[in-house]
Amino acid sequence: MYRLTTSIPYLLNRLGVRMGELFSRRLQPYGLTLAMYRVLASLAEQPGQRLGDLADMTSIELSTMSRLISTMVGAGLVTRKRLPTDDRTVSIDLTSEGQRLAAILIAEAQHYEDVAVSQLSDADVRQLKSLLGEVYAATDILEAELSTSAPGRL
Amino acid sequence: MYRLTTSIPYLLNRLGVRMGELFSRRLQPYGLTLAMYRVLASLAEQPGQRLGDLADMTSIELSTMSRLISTMVGAGLVTRKRLPTDDRTVSIDLTSEGQRLAAILIAEAQHYEDVAVSQLSDADVRQLKSLLGEVYAATDILEAELSTSAPGRL
DNA sequence: TATTGTTATACTCTATAACTATA
DNA sequence: TATAGTTATAGAGTATAACAATA
């Protein structure tokens, strides 16, 4: 019998909300939100992303991202410039201040994750990440099903 | 070297957002939000919860829950009544319509999860759930650290 | 005094769509 | 026509605090 509290979406949401809340408190002294942290960390990993890439990467909706980047440009954390090769497209980059903050916060995030998994073996941590990736890949099947089967017909 | 895109919070968020979006589309024909589904499914599993229990269970903030329950009472899905034993406390229960919807949606959720994990062995699924639970338990250590160590001092 | 829940406010996010500019 | 991004709006969420009622 299926129970909410042992379902994968429930467990994901519960852990994600909890970890997000705790890390958000870490970000508060820097005047940053979790979304801003994700943008900084994403750009530190992959500089010069387009707005749409950044939205996909961070699971933040495109129009939200557009406004968020405006805020972050105003705060001196990132730059936004049109591409010479395609004038529809913008390229987002870290400023030096953005890089400085990103380095600090990524170190905090690493420590934070280390503590969170301190009761697990390295093999378990690898397994967890691998399984999360595999389920994510399988969501494409779910999406395909959505378009073929009507709701209530399951 | 720590990378955002292989970090646990990132992978959790990415998968959680994705699964949430897809399941939300399933709920749309019923006029329900994901939060409402969680309340219905939580009450189906554990009837007669207090408002605070329900908020903890579903990771929905208490004041949000209070308003959400008002909406759901109005929609005829749940009832809210004060406890005779403690007049501060309210007990939330499913109406028969709420029970009917909950049964349908839980069946949908089960199918949905089955598809999402269809590429995984049963052992892997159990392992995933177990690891998510273990990391959740370890977040108490994170919370304790928050009160003792100052930000930036990691 | 502490607990439980309600209400109010400001801010943020999502979903959606309309719009601009460019390809 | 399709793509990339911006802007606007409605609805819902969070965070926070003030508040009422009860224990």
Side-chain angles (χ1 to χ4, degrees):
Chain A
M1 189 251 187
Y2 186 79
R3 280 187 300 151
L4 174 71
T5 48
T6 57
S7 71
I8 290 178
Y10 175 84
L11 294 170
L12 284 174
N13 182 252
R14 186 176 67 138
L15 181 55
V17 167
R18 177 100 164 110
M19 294 192 83
E21 278 175 0
L22 292 176
F23 197 64
S24 287
R25 291 196 218 162
R26 281 287 192 212
L27 296 173
Q28 229 167 356
Y30 301 97
L32 296 176
T33 64
L34 200 52
M36 290 175 182
Y37 161 71
R38 290 193 181 119
V39 168
L40 293 179
S42 179
L43 288 173
E45 183 170 330
Q46 177 71 52
Q49 293 186 68
R50 298 182 309 165
L51 198 72
D53 295 336
L54 212 43
D56 288 341
M57 184 94 134
T58 57
S59 306
I60 294 168
E61 206 272 332
L62 183 65
S63 71
T64 304
M65 183 60 76
S66 181
R67 279 171 287 129
L68 179 60
I69 293 299
S70 298
T71 303
M72 293 179 74
V73 168
L77 298 172
V78 300
T79 58
R80 166 165 49 187
K81 55 173 186 291
R82 293 279 163 187
L83 283 186
T85 52
D86 184 340
D87 228 357
R88 293 173 301 184
T89 301
V90 297
S91 173
I92 317 293
D93 271 294
L94 294 175
T95 62
S96 54
E97 170 65 6
Q99 283 177 24
R100 194 185 65 81
L101 264 182
I104 295 172
L105 297 174
I106 286 168
E108 285 227 27
Q110 175 158 27
H111 170 76
Y112 177 84
E113 177 161 332
D114 288 345
V115 172
V117 301
S118 55
Q119 309 298 309
L120 269 55
S121 71
D122 286 359
D124 277 344
V125 174
R126 278 195 301 275
Q127 171 81 342
L128 173 57
K129 293 183 178 190
S130 163
L131 291 171
L132 289 173
E134 287 182 56
V135 178
Y136 185 83
T139 58
D140 283 344
I141 308 175
L142 278 175
E143 182 153 39
E145 256 220 17
L146 268 176
S147 41
T148 55
S149 89
R153 274 194 54 251
L154 297 174
Chain B
M1 191 252 188
Y2 186 79
R3 279 188 299 153
L4 175 71
T5 48
T6 56
S7 72
I8 289 178
Y10 175 84
L11 295 169
L12 285 174
N13 183 253
R14 186 176 67 138
L15 181 55
V17 167
R18 177 101 164 110
M19 294 191 83
E21 277 175 0
L22 293 175
F23 197 65
S24 287
R25 292 196 218 161
R26 280 287 192 212
L27 296 173
Q28 228 167 356
Y30 301 97
L32 296 177
T33 63
L34 200 52
M36 290 176 183
Y37 161 70
R38 290 195 181 117
V39 168
L40 292 179
S42 179
L43 288 172
E45 181 170 332
Q46 178 71 54
Q49 293 187 68
R50 298 181 310 164
L51 197 72
D53 296 336
L54 212 42
D56 288 342
M57 184 95 135
T58 57
S59 305
I60 295 168
E61 206 271 332
L62 182 66
S63 71
T64 304
M65 182 60 76
S66 182
R67 278 171 288 132
L68 178 60
I69 293 299
S70 298
T71 304
M72 293 179 73
V73 168
L77 298 172
V78 300
T79 59
R80 166 165 49 187
K81 57 174 186 289
R82 294 277 164 189
L83 283 186
T85 52
D86 184 340
D87 228 357
R88 293 173 301 185
T89 301
V90 297
S91 173
I92 317 294
D93 272 292
L94 293 175
T95 62
S96 54
E97 170 65 5
Q99 283 177 24
R100 192 186 67 80
L101 264 182
I104 294 172
L105 297 175
I106 287 169
E108 286 227 27
Q110 176 158 26
H111 169 77
Y112 177 86
E113 178 160 331
D114 288 346
V115 172
V117 301
S118 56
Q119 310 297 310
L120 269 54
S121 70
D122 286 0
D124 277 344
V125 174
R126 276 194 301 276
Q127 170 83 340
L128 174 57
K129 293 184 178 190
S130 162
L131 290 171
L132 289 173
E134 288 183 55
V135 178
Y136 185 82
T139 57
D140 283 345
I141 309 175
L142 278 175
E143 182 153 39
E145 256 220 18
L146 268 176
S147 42
T148 56
S149 89
R153 272 194 56 252
L154 297 173

